[in-house]
């Protein structure tokens, strides 16, 4: 039996790109439309949502997307429309009033490198590798001779780096309560917003969103 797209009724083959809904399917073209109106957040959850609900969210977002006028942009992650009280974060279109809270979450990992040198350098190496947050923490191990010179030494350097960064949005009057945004952006994206680390970028995004939340609260009161 041939399968059909719930929206455009196009027939789909076994290998056609499609997304399952709770009670139907969407074809690649219709998924493209959904992405265009800032519904990226819904794509991972389609299997739990009924076609009628998806359609309803789509109509709502489409109306908002048509109104959208850019006032401010931060890198590729955040676009703000103050006039219509809208924002696009990581491709997701939201109304200011949908934002309830925002926080950033970071996970750190360590990598340990050991260098064996025949000569001891003064102090611990100062060179910083790209992506390091904390300077290298090292320990010089080796036999010191009476005159303070070292015959052989090995230097262990522990590098702590941010292995995962997420922006967590708590939402209200919206069809999902939490949305997680991956902040693993490229170095050129970081440079474009004047940040030297993911944490700095996360802080910047969090501050912008907090401000929206505060301002929106004030207007409601
Ligand atoms: Zn379709």
């Amino acid at each position: 039996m041939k399968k059909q797209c719930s929206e455009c009724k196009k027939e789909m083959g076994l290998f056609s790109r499609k997304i399952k809904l709770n009670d139907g399917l969407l074809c690649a073209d219709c998924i493209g439309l959904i992405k265009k109106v800032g519904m990226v957040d819904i794509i991972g959850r389609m299997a739990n949502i009924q076609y009628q609900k998806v359609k309803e969210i789509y109509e709502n977002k489409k109306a908002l997307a048509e109104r959208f006028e850019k006032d401010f942009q931060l890198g590729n992650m955040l676009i703000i429309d103050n006039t219509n009280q809208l924002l696009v974060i990581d491709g997701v279109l939201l109304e200011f009033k949908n934002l309830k809270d925002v926080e950033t979450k970071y996970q750190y990992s360590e990598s340990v490198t050991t260098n064996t040198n025949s000569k001891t350098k003064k102090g611990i190496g100062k060179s910083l590798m790209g992506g390091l947050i904390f300077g290298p923490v090292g320990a010089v191990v080796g036999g010191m001779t009476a005159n303070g010179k070292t015959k052989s030494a090995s230097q262990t350097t522990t590098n702590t780096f941010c292995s995962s960064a997420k922006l967590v949005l708590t939402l209200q009057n919206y069809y999902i309560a939490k949305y997680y945004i991956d902040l693993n952006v490229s170095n050129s994206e970081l440079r474009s917003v004047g940040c030297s680390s993911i944490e700095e970028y996360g802080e910047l995004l969090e501050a912008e969103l907090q401000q929206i939340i505060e301002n929106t609260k004030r207007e409601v009161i």
Side-chain angles (χ1 to χ4, degrees):
M1 197 183 79
K2 287 261 186 187
K3 291 189 169 165
Q4 278 194 326
C5 172
S6 302
E7 173 62 21
C8 67
K9 311 295 174 207
K10 191 168 78 184
E11 288 200 344
M12 286 181 287
L14 195 57
F15 303 111
S16 311
R17 217 161 57 82
K18 51 186 163 292
I19 285 189
K20 271 202 174 96
L21 303 173
N22 189 264
D23 58 350
L25 289 168
L26 281 186
C27 74
D29 294 340
C30 292
I31 295 160
L33 290 177
I34 273 180
K35 284 186 183 167
K36 259 190 204 154
V37 299
M39 279 172 76
V40 183
D41 53 338
I42 205 179
I43 289 174
R45 301 172 189 250
M46 294 277 217
N48 302 316
I49 309 177
Q50 305 255 326
Y51 166 67
Q52 272 311 325
K53 182 72 188 167
V54 172
K55 182 127 180 126
E56 187 189 311
I57 299 168
Y58 175 77
E59 295 300 338
N60 182 28
K61 290 245 188 187
K62 192 173 168 235
L64 296 176
E66 280 166 358
R67 253 189 275 161
F68 198 92
E69 283 173 56
K70 180 168 86 177
D71 285 327
F72 170 81
Q73 180 157 5
L74 189 67
N76 289 320
M77 290 296 285
L78 180 65
I79 312 169
I80 293 177
D81 169 1
N82 283 309
T83 316
N84 295 300
Q85 310 250 296
L86 300 170
L87 72 145
V88 176
I89 177 105
D90 198 25
V92 179
L93 175 62
L94 296 169
E95 293 179 79
F96 283 3
K97 63 179 187 192
N98 293 142
L99 283 179
K100 192 177 178 192
D101 198 12
V102 56
E103 57 175 324
T104 40
K105 284 194 174 160
Y106 304 107
Q107 269 175 5
Y108 293 93
S109 297
E110 281 187 345
S111 73
V112 178
T113 46
T114 306
N115 293 311
T116 309
N117 303 315
S118 53
K119 281 181 196 161
T120 303
K121 289 173 197 149
K122 244 189 180 173
I124 294 156
K126 283 210 176 100
S127 65
L128 276 172
M129 283 158 66
L132 282 191
I133 296 143
F134 306 116
V137 182
V140 178
V141 189
M144 299 286 275
T145 59
N147 60 11
K149 284 182 184 156
T150 302
K151 280 173 183 165
S152 73
S154 79
Q155 185 180 338
T156 306
T157 311
T158 307
N159 298 324
T160 307
F161 62 93
C162 183
S163 56
S164 158
K166 280 189 166 50
L167 199 63
V168 186
L169 303 184
T170 306
L171 302 161
Q172 58 192 359
N173 305 317
Y174 198 62
Y175 65 95
I176 49 172
K178 288 250 181 207
Y179 188 61
Y180 295 82
I181 297 162
D182 220 331
L183 284 184
N184 293 332
V185 296
S186 67
N187 283 334
S188 66
E189 169 81 357
L190 285 181
R191 275 196 300 275
S192 77
V193 293
C195 291
S196 56
S197 67
I198 297 279
E199 286 96 327
E200 231 178 275
Y201 195 22
E203 224 173 89
L204 214 58
L205 285 167
E206 192 182 334
E208 288 292 344
L209 296 176
Q210 282 294 3
Q211 201 172 42
I212 289 175
I213 293 168
E214 286 304 312
N215 291 343
T216 310
K217 254 190 227 161
R218 221 169 287 152
E219 275 166 34
V220 170
I221 297 163

PDB file of all heavy atoms in Angstrom, residues 74 77-78 89 102 104 167 181 183 185 200-211:
ATOM      1  N   LEU A  74      22.241  38.481  16.749  1.00  0.00           N
ATOM      2  CA  LEU A  74      23.464  38.055  17.418  1.00  0.00           C
ATOM      3  C   LEU A  74      23.940  36.771  16.733  1.00  0.00           C
ATOM      4  O   LEU A  74      23.355  35.709  16.916  1.00  0.00           O
ATOM      5  CB  LEU A  74      23.197  37.815  18.909  1.00  0.00           C
ATOM      6  CG  LEU A  74      24.410  37.567  19.784  1.00  0.00           C
ATOM      7  CD1 LEU A  74      25.292  38.800  19.908  1.00  0.00           C
ATOM      8  CD2 LEU A  74      23.978  37.117  21.182  1.00  0.00           C
ATOM      9  N   MET A  77      22.645  32.748  15.838  1.00  0.00           N
ATOM     10  CA  MET A  77      21.808  32.083  16.835  1.00  0.00           C
ATOM     11  C   MET A  77      20.536  32.838  17.182  1.00  0.00           C
ATOM     12  O   MET A  77      19.510  32.221  17.448  1.00  0.00           O
ATOM     13  CB  MET A  77      22.612  31.861  18.125  1.00  0.00           C
ATOM     14  CG  MET A  77      23.695  30.820  18.016  1.00  0.00           C
ATOM     15  SD  MET A  77      23.058  29.171  17.688  1.00  0.00           S
ATOM     16  CE  MET A  77      22.401  28.750  19.297  1.00  0.00           C
ATOM     17  N   LEU A  78      20.614  34.155  17.225  1.00  0.00           N
ATOM     18  CA  LEU A  78      19.484  34.915  17.757  1.00  0.00           C
ATOM     19  C   LEU A  78      19.118  36.103  16.878  1.00  0.00           C
ATOM     20  O   LEU A  78      19.973  36.903  16.517  1.00  0.00           O
ATOM     21  CB  LEU A  78      19.845  35.410  19.172  1.00  0.00           C
ATOM     22  CG  LEU A  78      18.802  36.232  19.919  1.00  0.00           C
ATOM     23  CD1 LEU A  78      17.561  35.417  20.222  1.00  0.00           C
ATOM     24  CD2 LEU A  78      19.388  36.785  21.212  1.00  0.00           C
ATOM     25  N   ILE A  89      15.409  31.866  17.745  1.00  0.00           N
ATOM     26  CA  ILE A  89      16.620  31.352  18.388  1.00  0.00           C
ATOM     27  C   ILE A  89      16.945  29.993  17.788  1.00  0.00           C
ATOM     28  O   ILE A  89      16.115  29.088  17.799  1.00  0.00           O
ATOM     29  CB  ILE A  89      16.473  31.310  19.941  1.00  0.00           C
ATOM     30  CG1 ILE A  89      17.710  30.710  20.601  1.00  0.00           C
ATOM     31  CG2 ILE A  89      15.228  30.579  20.415  1.00  0.00           C
ATOM     32  CD1 ILE A  89      18.593  31.696  21.274  1.00  0.00           C
ATOM     33  N   VAL A 102      15.506  31.091  31.210  1.00  0.00           N
ATOM     34  CA  VAL A 102      16.608  30.644  30.374  1.00  0.00           C
ATOM     35  C   VAL A 102      17.817  30.360  31.262  1.00  0.00           C
ATOM     36  O   VAL A 102      18.059  31.060  32.239  1.00  0.00           O
ATOM     37  CB  VAL A 102      16.951  31.704  29.295  1.00  0.00           C
ATOM     38  CG1 VAL A 102      17.258  33.054  29.897  1.00  0.00           C
ATOM     39  CG2 VAL A 102      18.108  31.258  28.415  1.00  0.00           C
ATOM     40  N   THR A 104      21.993  28.369  31.104  1.00  0.00           N
ATOM     41  CA  THR A 104      23.002  27.695  30.295  1.00  0.00           C
ATOM     42  C   THR A 104      23.571  26.533  31.096  1.00  0.00           C
ATOM     43  O   THR A 104      23.684  26.611  32.321  1.00  0.00           O
ATOM     44  CB  THR A 104      24.140  28.658  29.920  1.00  0.00           C
ATOM     45  OG1 THR A 104      24.431  29.479  31.030  1.00  0.00           O
ATOM     46  CG2 THR A 104      23.767  29.518  28.743  1.00  0.00           C
ATOM     47  N   LEU A 167      21.839  25.744  25.863  1.00  0.00           N
ATOM     48  CA  LEU A 167      20.980  26.806  26.349  1.00  0.00           C
ATOM     49  C   LEU A 167      19.626  26.133  26.591  1.00  0.00           C
ATOM     50  O   LEU A 167      19.088  25.489  25.696  1.00  0.00           O
ATOM     51  CB  LEU A 167      20.870  27.871  25.257  1.00  0.00           C
ATOM     52  CG  LEU A 167      20.403  29.264  25.621  1.00  0.00           C
ATOM     53  CD1 LEU A 167      21.383  29.920  26.586  1.00  0.00           C
ATOM     54  CD2 LEU A 167      20.291  30.125  24.370  1.00  0.00           C
ATOM     55  N   ILE A 181      18.959  23.901  23.366  1.00  0.00           N
ATOM     56  CA  ILE A 181      19.685  24.364  22.189  1.00  0.00           C
ATOM     57  C   ILE A 181      21.168  24.076  22.348  1.00  0.00           C
ATOM     58  O   ILE A 181      21.792  24.479  23.328  1.00  0.00           O
ATOM     59  CB  ILE A 181      19.467  25.877  21.975  1.00  0.00           C
ATOM     60  CG1 ILE A 181      17.993  26.142  21.701  1.00  0.00           C
ATOM     61  CG2 ILE A 181      20.340  26.412  20.849  1.00  0.00           C
ATOM     62  CD1 ILE A 181      17.588  27.580  21.904  1.00  0.00           C
ATOM     63  N   LEU A 183      24.913  24.589  21.848  1.00  0.00           N
ATOM     64  CA  LEU A 183      25.713  25.791  21.570  1.00  0.00           C
ATOM     65  C   LEU A 183      27.077  25.476  20.966  1.00  0.00           C
ATOM     66  O   LEU A 183      27.985  26.303  21.037  1.00  0.00           O
ATOM     67  CB  LEU A 183      25.926  26.588  22.861  1.00  0.00           C
ATOM     68  CG  LEU A 183      24.758  27.406  23.373  1.00  0.00           C
ATOM     69  CD1 LEU A 183      25.183  28.187  24.601  1.00  0.00           C
ATOM     70  CD2 LEU A 183      24.243  28.361  22.317  1.00  0.00           C
ATOM     71  N   VAL A 185      28.930  25.947  18.558  1.00  0.00           N
ATOM     72  CA  VAL A 185      29.044  26.749  17.340  1.00  0.00           C
ATOM     73  C   VAL A 185      30.500  26.810  16.860  1.00  0.00           C
ATOM     74  O   VAL A 185      31.416  26.506  17.604  1.00  0.00           O
ATOM     75  CB  VAL A 185      28.500  28.179  17.557  1.00  0.00           C
ATOM     76  CG1 VAL A 185      27.021  28.140  17.869  1.00  0.00           C
ATOM     77  CG2 VAL A 185      29.255  28.890  18.657  1.00  0.00           C
ATOM     78  N   GLU A 200      31.342  32.394  26.936  1.00  0.00           N
ATOM     79  CA  GLU A 200      31.085  33.822  26.759  1.00  0.00           C
ATOM     80  C   GLU A 200      29.858  34.020  25.859  1.00  0.00           C
ATOM     81  O   GLU A 200      29.006  34.866  26.122  1.00  0.00           O
ATOM     82  CB  GLU A 200      32.306  34.460  26.090  1.00  0.00           C
ATOM     83  CG  GLU A 200      32.834  35.691  26.784  1.00  0.00           C
ATOM     84  CD  GLU A 200      34.069  36.197  26.072  1.00  0.00           C
ATOM     85  OE1 GLU A 200      35.176  35.708  26.363  1.00  0.00           O
ATOM     86  OE2 GLU A 200      33.916  37.057  25.200  1.00  0.00           O
ATOM     87  N   TYR A 201      29.810  33.233  24.815  1.00  0.00           N
ATOM     88  CA  TYR A 201      28.693  33.314  23.868  1.00  0.00           C
ATOM     89  C   TYR A 201      27.392  32.929  24.570  1.00  0.00           C
ATOM     90  O   TYR A 201      26.363  33.601  24.426  1.00  0.00           O
ATOM     91  CB  TYR A 201      28.965  32.391  22.678  1.00  0.00           C
ATOM     92  CG  TYR A 201      28.088  32.623  21.472  1.00  0.00           C
ATOM     93  CD1 TYR A 201      27.441  33.822  21.258  1.00  0.00           C
ATOM     94  CD2 TYR A 201      27.930  31.625  20.521  1.00  0.00           C
ATOM     95  CE1 TYR A 201      26.654  34.028  20.142  1.00  0.00           C
ATOM     96  CE2 TYR A 201      27.151  31.820  19.397  1.00  0.00           C
ATOM     97  CZ  TYR A 201      26.501  33.020  19.217  1.00  0.00           C
ATOM     98  OH  TYR A 201      25.723  33.216  18.107  1.00  0.00           O
ATOM     99  N   GLY A 202      27.459  31.857  25.346  1.00  0.00           N
ATOM    100  CA  GLY A 202      26.289  31.404  26.098  1.00  0.00           C
ATOM    101  C   GLY A 202      25.796  32.486  27.047  1.00  0.00           C
ATOM    102  O   GLY A 202      24.596  32.739  27.166  1.00  0.00           O
ATOM    103  N   GLU A 203      26.742  33.154  27.708  1.00  0.00           N
ATOM    104  CA  GLU A 203      26.418  34.220  28.649  1.00  0.00           C
ATOM    105  C   GLU A 203      25.695  35.372  27.930  1.00  0.00           C
ATOM    106  O   GLU A 203      24.726  35.924  28.427  1.00  0.00           O
ATOM    107  CB  GLU A 203      27.728  34.749  29.230  1.00  0.00           C
ATOM    108  CG  GLU A 203      27.726  34.992  30.718  1.00  0.00           C
ATOM    109  CD  GLU A 203      29.121  35.343  31.188  1.00  0.00           C
ATOM    110  OE1 GLU A 203      29.450  36.533  31.186  1.00  0.00           O
ATOM    111  OE2 GLU A 203      29.894  34.411  31.521  1.00  0.00           O
ATOM    112  N   LEU A 204      26.228  35.688  26.766  1.00  0.00           N
ATOM    113  CA  LEU A 204      25.667  36.775  25.963  1.00  0.00           C
ATOM    114  C   LEU A 204      24.219  36.460  25.554  1.00  0.00           C
ATOM    115  O   LEU A 204      23.316  37.287  25.699  1.00  0.00           O
ATOM    116  CB  LEU A 204      26.537  36.930  24.714  1.00  0.00           C
ATOM    117  CG  LEU A 204      26.751  38.297  24.112  1.00  0.00           C
ATOM    118  CD1 LEU A 204      27.360  39.237  25.121  1.00  0.00           C
ATOM    119  CD2 LEU A 204      27.683  38.187  22.899  1.00  0.00           C
ATOM    120  N   LEU A 205      24.017  35.245  25.067  1.00  0.00           N
ATOM    121  CA  LEU A 205      22.670  34.821  24.647  1.00  0.00           C
ATOM    122  C   LEU A 205      21.722  34.809  25.845  1.00  0.00           C
ATOM    123  O   LEU A 205      20.593  35.288  25.766  1.00  0.00           O
ATOM    124  CB  LEU A 205      22.728  33.423  24.017  1.00  0.00           C
ATOM    125  CG  LEU A 205      23.312  33.331  22.611  1.00  0.00           C
ATOM    126  CD1 LEU A 205      23.596  31.878  22.248  1.00  0.00           C
ATOM    127  CD2 LEU A 205      22.372  33.950  21.580  1.00  0.00           C
ATOM    128  N   GLU A 206      22.229  34.273  26.954  1.00  0.00           N
ATOM    129  CA  GLU A 206      21.403  34.192  28.158  1.00  0.00           C
ATOM    130  C   GLU A 206      20.994  35.592  28.608  1.00  0.00           C
ATOM    131  O   GLU A 206      19.829  35.831  28.949  1.00  0.00           O
ATOM    132  CB  GLU A 206      22.175  33.465  29.269  1.00  0.00           C
ATOM    133  CG  GLU A 206      21.294  33.094  30.440  1.00  0.00           C
ATOM    134  CD  GLU A 206      22.051  32.405  31.571  1.00  0.00           C
ATOM    135  OE1 GLU A 206      23.095  31.782  31.313  1.00  0.00           O
ATOM    136  OE2 GLU A 206      21.583  32.517  32.712  1.00  0.00           O
ATOM    137  N   ALA A 207      21.944  36.531  28.579  1.00  0.00           N
ATOM    138  CA  ALA A 207      21.660  37.907  29.013  1.00  0.00           C
ATOM    139  C   ALA A 207      20.612  38.558  28.111  1.00  0.00           C
ATOM    140  O   ALA A 207      19.694  39.217  28.595  1.00  0.00           O
ATOM    141  CB  ALA A 207      22.950  38.722  29.013  1.00  0.00           C
ATOM    142  N   GLU A 208      20.730  38.351  26.809  1.00  0.00           N
ATOM    143  CA  GLU A 208      19.750  38.919  25.866  1.00  0.00           C
ATOM    144  C   GLU A 208      18.355  38.369  26.148  1.00  0.00           C
ATOM    145  O   GLU A 208      17.382  39.112  26.173  1.00  0.00           O
ATOM    146  CB  GLU A 208      20.132  38.587  24.413  1.00  0.00           C
ATOM    147  CG  GLU A 208      21.334  39.336  23.877  1.00  0.00           C
ATOM    148  CD  GLU A 208      21.083  40.840  23.698  1.00  0.00           C
ATOM    149  OE1 GLU A 208      19.916  41.267  23.698  1.00  0.00           O
ATOM    150  OE2 GLU A 208      22.078  41.573  23.563  1.00  0.00           O
ATOM    151  N   LEU A 209      18.276  37.061  26.361  1.00  0.00           N
ATOM    152  CA  LEU A 209      16.977  36.427  26.595  1.00  0.00           C
ATOM    153  C   LEU A 209      16.404  36.822  27.954  1.00  0.00           C
ATOM    154  O   LEU A 209      15.203  37.039  28.089  1.00  0.00           O
ATOM    155  CB  LEU A 209      17.092  34.907  26.455  1.00  0.00           C
ATOM    156  CG  LEU A 209      17.476  34.409  25.052  1.00  0.00           C
ATOM    157  CD1 LEU A 209      17.670  32.902  25.042  1.00  0.00           C
ATOM    158  CD2 LEU A 209      16.430  34.788  24.009  1.00  0.00           C
ATOM    159  N   GLN A 210      17.284  36.931  28.964  1.00  0.00           N
ATOM    160  CA  GLN A 210      16.831  37.367  30.295  1.00  0.00           C
ATOM    161  C   GLN A 210      16.210  38.754  30.215  1.00  0.00           C
ATOM    162  O   GLN A 210      15.193  39.035  30.844  1.00  0.00           O
ATOM    163  CB  GLN A 210      18.005  37.414  31.296  1.00  0.00           C
ATOM    164  CG  GLN A 210      18.431  36.076  31.838  1.00  0.00           C
ATOM    165  CD  GLN A 210      17.381  35.389  32.713  1.00  0.00           C
ATOM    166  OE1 GLN A 210      16.267  35.884  32.905  1.00  0.00           O
ATOM    167  NE2 GLN A 210      17.721  34.222  33.214  1.00  0.00           N
ATOM    168  N   GLN A 211      16.847  39.598  29.421  1.00  0.00           N
ATOM    169  CA  GLN A 211      16.353  40.956  29.269  1.00  0.00           C
ATOM    170  C   GLN A 211      14.944  40.966  28.646  1.00  0.00           C
ATOM    171  O   GLN A 211      14.069  41.701  29.083  1.00  0.00           O
ATOM    172  CB  GLN A 211      17.324  41.736  28.388  1.00  0.00           C
ATOM    173  CG  GLN A 211      17.198  43.216  28.560  1.00  0.00           C
ATOM    174  CD  GLN A 211      18.302  43.949  27.821  1.00  0.00           C
ATOM    175  OE1 GLN A 211      18.641  43.596  26.700  1.00  0.00           O
ATOM    176  NE2 GLN A 211      18.858  44.954  28.436  1.00  0.00           N
TER     177      GLN A 211
END
